[in-house]
Amino acid sequence: MTEVIRLEGVSKRYGGGGIAAIQEISLVVGKGEIVALLGPSGCGKTTTLRLIAGFEVPDGGSIEIGGRIVANERIFVPAERRGVGMVFQDYALFPHLTARENVAFGLHNWDAERSGKRIEEALDLVGLSELEGRYSYELSGGQQQRVALARALAPSPQVVLLDEPFSNLDADMRAQMRQDVHRILRQAGTTAIFVTHDQEEALMIADRVGVLNQGRLEQIDQPDVIYHTPATRFVARFVGSADFIPGLVQGEGIVTELGTFPNQQGLPSGQAVEVMIRPDDIELVADLAGEATVVTRHFRGSDNLYCVQLPSGRTVHSSQGSTRIVESGARIAVKTDPTHVVCFYEDDTTR
Ligand code: ATP
């Protein structure tokens, strides 16, 4: 893998010694990769992006782009010399310029012929050649975003950074633009990092997802690995939904009130753990003598999400097909068959 971006131990505090916005972040992004930085509000996503772009100075660590150090304790390369394209949340188009003029903005040093050709290519890539003469107020949100993307891609940057690129769009437009942006980035072969608080978006578009919590990168991996084998309880809860039930490791198995699971992680016998259970791991079986009780049902269109109380009083969630209706209060048996048994040590709350 050819590296395009490398962050090593990057930290940032705002306002001289205040709360750390990000702490000791290390990550590597390969050429052509699309990486999502995912996390709740205030976890440091935008700060990480701004540090890579060169809009903020790190307090510690180093940042490399294309094998060149752009920030460490001695070096700071300004944003305009980092070879980075940026798509802002509000697109930040120039209202007094047309779509074409906006795209041309980053090419003012290019000779006219080369720049003209590149503008055509960039507008064509985002499917806006027909609308090149329009001002931004004459364009829809999705079209404005395409212009912003074309403007960022036009100078052929080493990397494009996108800050919550879909958050200003309606739900249906957002779904369409996710697909379009993904296709455009792939077609251009561009390395990209985008930040989002929307897990579905991150899982759908990214080759790898980095999950941030309180300024720390808790895990970075392929979407299915993040979902199936989360490294921390936070990642388990933030990416998908998860319940945790107590268990005790006994040799080859982990004994819980939902049955005995295989000890896939090879944990030591006698260890008290919490086993992660996803709603899609739990099957509800009609059984009038069942020991579990249905507490609530939430219809979600494509499925029903049940909350089920176990004999211990603990509750877990179960996702069932959209036509599978079980009334609240019904007695039921619970069957589990998780493909990945993920456990956290009961006495270790750092994970
Ligand atoms: P959101 O999804 O809400 O945009 P985020 O994950 O992008 O959040 P950041 O904007 O990176 O988070 O902010 C991380 C932390 O740094 C937050 O606690 C925020 O209040 C703080 N912060 C961000 N920018 C500044 C600033 N210019 N001055 C002081 N504190 C800041």
Side-chain angles (χ1 to χ4, degrees):
M1 174 177 84
T2 311
E3 272 180 40
V4 174
I5 291 184
R6 172 178 284 270
L7 269 64
E8 271 181 21
V10 176
S11 299
K12 173 71 185 173
R13 281 176 191 279
Y14 288 105
I19 295 176
I22 63 161
Q23 299 181 59
E24 299 276 328
I25 295 219
S26 298
L27 66 94
V28 173
V29 180
K31 192 166 167 41
E33 242 195 322
I34 301 176
V35 168
L37 294 178
L38 172 70
S41 181
C43 70
K45 306 179 294 287
T46 301
T47 299
T48 309
L49 214 62
R50 291 176 60 81
L51 283 161
I52 298 170
F55 300 137
E56 302 286 352
V57 183
D59 296 324
S62 68
I63 302 173
E64 283 177 36
I65 299 179
R68 178 174 71 127
I69 293 182
V70 294
N72 67 10
E73 69 279 6
R74 282 169 286 113
I75 296 168
F76 185 80
V77 177
E80 65 277 12
R81 288 204 275 119
R82 290 195 181 190
V84 165
M86 186 96 189
V87 177
F88 295 93
Q89 193 170 350
D90 59 1
Y91 319 132
L93 295 179
F94 302 110
H96 58 288
L97 300 182
T98 62
R100 186 187 177 89
E101 288 163 346
N102 265 284
V103 176
F105 186 78
L107 305 179
H108 50 87
N109 287 333
W110 294 36
D111 71 59
E113 195 188 331
R114 219 172 122 234
S115 123
K117 197 159 164 270
R118 184 62 191 145
I119 295 165
E120 307 293 332
E121 278 171 8
L123 283 166
D124 188 41
L125 189 65
V126 300
L128 276 189
S129 303
E130 313 270 288
L131 304 180
E132 63 170 28
R134 294 234 191 132
Y135 289 94
S136 49
Y137 60 84
E138 296 174 317
L139 296 168
S140 72
Q143 289 165 341
Q144 287 180 43
Q145 193 193 45
R146 284 167 208 263
V147 176
L149 189 57
R151 183 177 63 181
L153 290 171
S156 305
Q158 299 193 71
V159 59
V160 173
L161 307 175
L162 304 100
D163 190 358
E164 297 272 5
F166 311 106
S167 60
N168 280 338
L169 302 171
D170 309 340
D172 54 343
M173 193 65 191
R174 199 178 308 151
Q176 180 62 46
M177 282 309 290
R178 276 178 191 162
Q179 289 180 15
D180 288 358
V181 168
H182 183 260
R183 181 184 47 77
I184 292 163
L185 291 173
R186 274 277 188 271
Q187 225 169 312
T190 312
T191 308
I193 302 182
F194 73 100
V195 312
T196 179
H197 59 268
D198 184 329
Q199 44 136 331
E200 187 185 308
E201 192 163 291
L203 297 178
M204 272 179 69
I205 306 180
D207 298 314
R208 284 189 303 144
V209 177
V211 185
L212 284 158
N213 180 27
Q214 299 188 339
R216 292 191 184 274
L217 186 62
E218 297 214 344
Q219 187 172 11
I220 177 160
D221 220 318
Q222 290 161 9
D224 57 332
V225 177
I226 295 269
Y227 183 79
H228 291 302
T229 52
T232 65
R233 290 175 176 90
F234 173 83
V235 175
R237 286 198 185 97
F238 196 77
V239 182
S241 49
D243 295 303
F244 297 91
I245 55 164
L248 188 66
V249 183
Q250 290 186 350
E252 299 298 297
I254 298 162
V255 179
T256 75
E257 71 172 310
L258 285 176
T260 301
F261 300 113
N263 180 6
Q264 291 173 344
Q265 290 164 282
L267 303 172
S269 223
Q271 176 67 49
V273 294
E274 286 186 339
V275 183
M276 175 188 84
I277 304 287
R278 296 261 190 224
D280 38 310
D281 294 332
I282 296 198
E283 183 58 38
L284 301 182
V285 182
D287 183 351
L288 293 176
E291 291 192 317
T293 311
V294 171
V295 182
T296 54
R297 175 177 71 92
H298 288 292
F299 180 61
R300 301 195 296 186
S302 59
D303 73 342
N304 281 291
L305 183 68
Y306 286 95
C307 177
V308 177
Q309 189 167 45
L310 303 177
S312 65
R314 195 165 276 108
T315 54
V316 291
H317 292 82
S318 169
S319 162
Q320 300 292 309
S322 62
T323 54
R324 174 88 198 274
I325 310 293
V326 187
E327 296 307 325
S328 297
R331 303 286 277 182
I332 200 129
V334 169
K335 217 177 105 201
T336 52
D337 187 19
T339 39
H340 303 86
V341 181
V342 177
C343 299
F344 299 97
Y345 282 12
E346 195 182 38
D347 49 6
D348 180 3
T349 52
T350 62
R351 293 187 58 225

